[in-house]
Amino acid sequence: MKNIYQLLTCLILILSLSNFTVQAEDWGVPSSAKKKHNPYDANVKNISSGKKIFNINCKTCHGDPGKGNMIHLVPISPTDIGSQDFLVQTDGEIYYKINKGNGAMPTFEKTLNDEHKWMVITYLRSFDKSNRRSEKLAEVKNPEVTDVKLDLEIQDSSKYILAHLTGMTKKGKRVGLHGIEMSFLVKRNFGYLDISREDAYTDDNGKVETVFPYDLPGDREGHVDLLVKLTDDAFYGNLEKSQIVSLGVPTIPVNPLDERAMWGTRANAPIWIMVSYIGGVFVIWGVIFFVLFQMIKIPRLAQNKE
Amino acid sequence: MNDLPKQEETTLSFEKIKKDILHPLQNHKGLELWIVFLVTVIAVCGWAYIVQLRDGLGVTGMRDYVSWGLYIANFVFFVAVSLVGMLISSILGLLRIDWITPISRISEMIAVAFVAVSGLVIIMDMGRPDRVANVIIHGRFQSPILWDITVVTTYLMISLLLLILPMIPDLAICKNELKKASPIMKKIYNVLSLGYINTPSQHKHLHRMIKTLMVLIVPVGLAIHTVTSWLFAATLRNGWDTTIFGPYFVAGAFVAGAAALVMAMYFFRINYKLQDYITDVQFDYMGKLMVAVCLVYLYFNLNEFLVPGYKMKTGDDVHLKELFTGHWAVLFWCSQLLGNVIPIILLLMKKFRKPLPLMLISIFVLASAWIKRYVIVIPTLLHPHLPIQNVPENFVHYFPTGIEIAVTVLSFALALLIITVLAKIFPVVPICEIAEQRGIEVKIED
């Protein structure tokens, strides 16, 4: 009996797997879909926002583009979608595949909006060696610099945070670096909270600012750990700056064990439950002791035989 | 319900009642053999407990997931059976139902024995029984465990008093009549009878005390089994997380207790030759009572399983399917059918309410009641909310080990021993109450 079950399971497994393989080979991209064009410019902004979306949604399976470090899945592992072999496909074809999914590749039709999907494609295209479009359109034209520095300026009263990105030119002049995205992060219990405003790119002077949220709690003194860093390490490496700032709302931490509660220690039991317990015990045992006490009377009552 | 049939009005004199009831206390060889047998069982199974004490709870089948096993199921069963004392001698007694007079003391003896052992069962389930005092020393008012320990001891105390107080007149008789009793027993009779000589003021005083305790034990009896159910219902586990667990347990307890009482009645009727006292009438009424409590229990079971079964919400579904058609189906349906549905149908017929058939049915009811507790405790623990992963094979299943079974047998032997010893030294049928009920004058000498 057991053998039959094992055999059956094996059979079902084999059948479903073979079915899977058949499906996996066939994306069936219609030719009309292949002709679709990416309506977005291949500028630095779009590429870097595409990278962000890719890192959140695709990297877990596909790994870093061009590095071939995807996870291994059966029967078909995710493609390295930064490789030249893959990038021969048209934008429309890639767009269609992201939308539809296939086998272990999920569909992103509803999970990502059109703009985001095109951004990802723009990002992937930036790895395409045969396509010079992205370079042509690249906007960032910062001079070549050394000794890149990130400085922070904080105004406690208005909760205003200004980041200033500068570098030293060959001529020995410190200039602002523009068009670089910056992330403003605040450390919370489980990781970092992003408080950057939208389009947090440095301006022509290399400056970008954000406002610290008015309702974000800090410790007793309002201290929080602030971390400001370059969102994309492609330009000047992993440059970041962390600092303790007192911009948070001063908050006295509550220990849930300090209040009277069902989960509390005995000393912190809710009053009503203590009253019920102690009261109940006193009343019931009071009556018991009363009865025990009354028992003493029985021998005495033997005397008066009225 | 108060009309005893005419045939009962036999020509019993006070002397004959005394003789009939006191006779087995001194001249019963079989009883002594039975005690020897129980003591042997206790000695053998006690060794199993010693092994558990020495090697720790690892000798049981309990692991991280099933941390409440046979012992707790057995504990719930013992508490349930002990509730018969409150049902018969208090609730029916307060309602002045008179057919219970000859069996009320037996029910009180069962109550005392089972509630006392239920406390021991909990201690037997502890790896470090020496730490039991910590429940009192560090117990939290919010924890059902503290409440449970409290109500179990309170119920034991009141049950003991309700056994002894109504027995005081009979003890005075024992003091006078049992000439052959050992000196220790004479002393016990003497002390416990409190110089009772049945003066009107003593009689009135005694009955006022008994009445007080009978009222007092009703809330305590309800509390003991409701709190026991809270040990389960206060958690979020599938199958335990239900609002009707309190009354559900109480109803189930009445079923188990009534069945246990019928078995004890039958045993004493035959062995102590008490056919004139524990008559067919008592069995007939017990049969009817059993139908009544079984119907209430059936009603709770319908609610308990039909409503979640209709919704089949996530988590409950696995649990319920395992009960209805899965691994636990045989035990589950046995307990429902043999312990509830079929007895109701059979006991509607008068011929099944005769002593022997009723006793046989009660065996099934009691066994099913025990199985039911097992099915309430263990399956839920095997279906935790988070999947069981990466654990040793023996965490995933539960089956009691030999040690556990032996220790459980020990608890039964202990309870039976307590009942036997009580029935050996005290009259199992109240002499004076029977006489009073039949209009016979009670005479107790100084």
Side-chain angles (χ1 to χ4, degrees):
Chain A
M1 201 58 190
K2 216 172 176 184
N3 283 336
I4 295 181
Y5 276 126
Q6 279 172 354
L7 218 85
L8 266 172
T9 359
C10 282
L11 233 102
I12 290 170
L13 228 90
I14 291 168
L15 273 176
S16 57
L17 286 188
S18 52
N19 195 25
F20 202 40
T21 350
V22 170
Q23 266 190 4
E25 279 162 0
D26 177 26
W27 283 88
V29 186
S31 52
S32 61
K34 287 186 189 168
K35 290 192 195 114
K36 226 175 187 166
H37 279 294
N38 186 347
Y40 292 87
D41 284 343
N43 57 28
V44 173
K45 242 183 209 177
N46 289 349
I47 291 174
S48 93
S49 55
K51 182 178 182 179
K52 262 201 262 179
I53 298 161
F54 179 89
N55 284 347
I56 294 171
N57 295 288
C58 324
K59 193 176 163 175
T60 41
C61 291
H62 286 278
D64 299 299
K67 299 239 171 83
N69 56 352
M70 68 290 280
I71 67 163
H72 289 283
L73 295 178
V74 176
I76 290 196
S77 285
T79 327
D80 179 353
I81 44 181
S83 70
Q84 211 55 42
D85 289 350
F86 165 77
L87 287 169
V88 295
Q89 304 183 38
T90 66
D91 285 353
E93 211 165 346
I94 301 174
Y95 176 82
Y96 181 87
K97 291 183 176 181
I98 298 174
N99 258 346
K100 289 287 177 256
N102 193 14
M105 163 72 193
T107 152
F108 286 92
E109 192 154 11
K110 297 270 156 56
T111 16
L112 290 180
N113 64 25
D114 254 4
E115 183 181 335
H116 287 171
K117 274 178 280 206
W118 286 120
M119 296 286 165
V120 172
I121 294 170
T122 312
Y123 170 60
L124 295 178
R125 252 326 146 214
S126 71
F127 294 92
D128 189 349
K129 295 188 185 72
S130 66
N131 186 330
R132 301 282 114 199
R133 200 165 79 105
S134 57
E135 269 175 37
K136 265 188 273 156
L137 290 176
E139 280 167 0
V140 186
K141 290 204 192 80
N142 281 316
E144 235 172 76
V145 289
T146 53
D147 186 25
V148 180
K149 266 208 311 207
L150 176 59
D151 295 301
L152 297 183
E153 201 179 295
I154 289 152
Q155 288 172 16
D156 284 355
S157 54
S158 57
K159 302 213 173 196
Y160 183 82
I161 305 168
L162 182 89
H164 192 190
L165 186 69
T166 55
M168 199 72 90
T169 58
K170 283 200 189 104
K171 291 176 193 151
K173 203 177 147 214
R174 190 157 275 286
V175 291
L177 303 167
H178 81 102
I180 307 292
E181 193 181 12
M182 204 76 77
S183 296
F184 296 81
L185 306 165
V186 183
K187 192 162 196 240
R188 312 309 293 163
N189 271 345
F190 305 101
Y192 285 93
L193 177 74
D194 194 338
I195 57 162
S196 338
R197 28 157 258 238
E198 273 199 20
D199 286 331
Y201 294 90
T202 49
D203 61 12
D204 290 346
N205 302 322
K207 286 183 181 168
V208 57
E209 85 289 319
T210 193
V211 176
F212 191 90
Y214 283 95
D215 52 357
L216 202 62
D219 65 7
R220 277 172 210 277
E221 283 86 36
H223 291 333
V224 292
D225 283 342
L226 178 71
L227 175 72
V228 181
K229 63 177 211 174
L230 303 189
T231 310
D232 195 335
D233 59 9
F235 305 99
Y236 302 108
N238 204 357
L239 189 62
E240 60 177 48
K241 183 139 195 176
S242 70
Q243 191 173 328
I244 293 177
V245 295
S246 43
L247 294 177
V249 180
T251 312
I252 292 156
V254 245
N255 183 351
L257 282 176
D258 287 344
E259 54 181 300
R260 289 199 178 277
M262 282 311 249
W263 60 79
T265 55
R266 174 166 62 182
N268 273 336
I271 298 286
W272 63 266
I273 208 168
M274 287 166 81
V275 169
S276 323
Y277 179 86
I278 297 171
V281 168
F282 265 99
V283 168
I284 303 274
W285 280 89
V287 177
I288 292 175
F289 279 113
F290 173 74
V291 169
L292 284 174
F293 184 71
Q294 293 289 309
M295 281 170 75
I296 306 170
K297 269 196 191 163
I298 291 184
R300 260 196 285 133
L301 286 172
Q303 266 89 62
N304 56 336
K305 302 180 190 173
E306 76 284 12
Chain B
M1 262 184 142
N2 283 354
D3 52 333
L4 288 169
K6 284 284 168 288
Q7 54 163 69
E8 277 299 296
E9 316 263 315
T10 41
T11 49
L12 284 171
S13 69
F14 191 51
E15 289 307 313
K16 178 155 172 13
I17 298 178
K18 278 201 289 197
K19 198 172 145 288
D20 282 351
I21 295 175
L22 292 180
H23 181 75
L25 298 195
Q26 299 210 305
N27 312 288
H28 203 297
K29 285 281 164 290
L31 208 60
E32 272 144 32
L33 272 178
W34 170 240
I35 291 179
V36 169
F37 167 74
L38 286 178
V39 171
T40 319
V41 171
I42 289 171
V44 172
C45 297
W47 176 77
Y49 179 65
I50 305 246
V51 169
Q52 177 187 311
L53 214 52
R54 189 191 64 200
D55 298 348
L57 284 176
V59 300
T60 68
M62 292 183 277
R63 292 294 180 266
D64 286 27
Y65 288 97
V66 179
S67 50
W68 283 358
L70 190 60
Y71 293 157
I72 295 295
N74 198 40
F75 161 73
V76 178
F77 173 80
F78 270 65
V79 173
V81 171
S82 78
L83 230 57
V84 70
M86 164 206 154
L87 172 66
I88 299 292
S89 49
S90 301
I91 296 183
L92 298 189
L94 284 173
L95 294 173
R96 298 186 183 286
I97 288 169
D98 52 15
W99 59 265
I100 59 146
T101 310
I103 58 174
S104 60
R105 186 161 302 152
I106 302 178
S107 74
E108 220 44 80
M109 285 177 175
I110 295 178
V112 168
F114 274 76
V115 77
V117 177
S118 81
L120 285 183
V121 171
I122 287 287
I123 293 174
M124 288 174 192
D125 192 10
M126 297 178 67
R128 289 286 301 270
D130 50 304
R131 292 185 181 169
V132 69
N134 286 355
V135 178
I136 310 288
I137 301 170
H138 304 291
R140 294 161 61 251
F141 299 109
Q142 304 97 311
S143 162
I145 306 270
L146 177 64
W147 288 68
D148 209 48
I149 288 240
T150 312
V151 282
V152 167
T153 35
T154 308
Y155 187 75
L156 175 61
M157 185 66 193
I158 304 179
S159 294
L160 257 179
L161 284 176
L162 271 179
L163 174 67
I164 292 170
L165 285 186
M167 203 160 59
I168 286 177
D170 290 6
L171 289 171
I173 294 173
C174 288
K175 182 176 77 178
N176 299 331
E177 302 283 324
L178 296 178
K179 301 277 188 267
K180 282 196 287 175
S182 66
I184 309 167
M185 277 324 298
K186 279 195 180 131
K187 187 129 201 172
I188 291 179
Y189 293 139
N190 200 10
V191 171
L192 286 184
S193 60
L194 294 174
Y196 190 85
I197 49 167
N198 204 24
T199 66
S201 55
Q202 273 184 329
H203 188 273
K204 202 170 139 211
H205 186 68
L206 184 62
H207 279 265
R208 207 173 317 137
M209 283 157 61
I210 296 172
K211 215 27 158 316
T212 314
L213 289 178
M214 273 157 75
V215 174
L216 189 67
I217 203 170
V218 176
V220 175
L222 286 177
I224 181 176
H225 220 35
T226 307
V227 170
T228 303
S229 84
W230 287 348
L231 296 178
F232 302 92
T235 69
L236 284 169
R237 307 296 298 261
N238 301 309
W240 294 350
D241 178 16
T242 118
T243 52
I244 65 163
F245 241 38
Y248 176 55
F249 269 40
V250 172
F254 287 160
V255 175
L261 176 58
V262 168
M263 287 162 68
M265 280 161 62
Y266 187 83
F267 173 85
F268 286 122
R269 173 181 150 109
I270 301 293
N271 269 287
Y272 278 26
K273 307 207 169 43
L274 294 173
Q275 282 86 347
D276 286 343
Y277 305 91
I278 305 173
T279 63
D280 283 11
V281 177
Q282 272 74 32
F283 281 91
D284 189 61
Y285 277 129
M286 278 310 290
K288 286 179 182 163
L289 181 70
M290 203 119 100
V291 174
V293 289
C294 276
L295 278 174
V296 175
Y297 194 40
L298 183 66
Y299 169 70
F300 275 115
N301 270 300
L302 275 180
N303 276 288
E304 182 58 23
F305 291 106
L306 206 63
V307 176
Y310 182 85
K311 293 183 284 192
M312 280 292 179
K313 62 180 176 200
T314 317
D316 274 1
D317 53 354
V318 184
H319 176 70
L320 290 172
K321 276 179 199 146
E322 283 286 288
L323 286 186
F324 294 161
T325 52
H327 183 69
W328 302 96
V330 175
L331 287 181
F332 177 78
W333 289 111
C334 271
S335 70
Q336 294 291 7
L337 296 177
L338 297 178
N340 212 335
V341 177
I342 297 174
I344 292 176
I345 297 169
L346 292 183
L347 290 178
L348 287 176
M349 285 169 272
K350 194 170 176 68
K351 65 170 183 278
F352 284 104
R353 297 197 298 265
K354 292 271 173 250
L356 184 62
L358 181 61
M359 192 274 287
L360 293 176
I361 291 173
S362 293
I363 293 179
F364 280 96
V365 173
L366 197 67
S368 306
W370 192 89
I371 292 171
K372 185 71 192 289
R373 305 303 182 281
Y374 193 80
V375 176
I376 287 176
V377 176
I378 285 106
T380 289
L381 289 169
L382 284 172
H383 307 142
H385 286 302
L386 295 178
I388 301 181
Q389 286 172 339
N390 305 326
V391 293
E393 172 62 16
N394 61 2
F395 281 36
V396 184
H397 311 286
Y398 170 76
F399 198 82
T401 58
I403 298 276
E404 266 173 295
I405 294 172
V407 172
T408 301
V409 171
L410 170 69
S411 64
F412 274 92
L414 272 176
L416 289 179
L417 184 67
I418 295 177
I419 295 176
T420 314
V421 168
L422 287 177
K424 174 95 180 86
I425 59 177
F426 297 132
V428 291
V429 172
I431 303 171
C432 294
E433 281 175 51
I434 295 261
E436 277 167 24
Q437 197 177 61
R438 300 191 184 178
I440 300 167
E441 198 196 339
V442 176
K443 290 182 296 264
I444 304 174
E445 300 118 51
D446 258 299

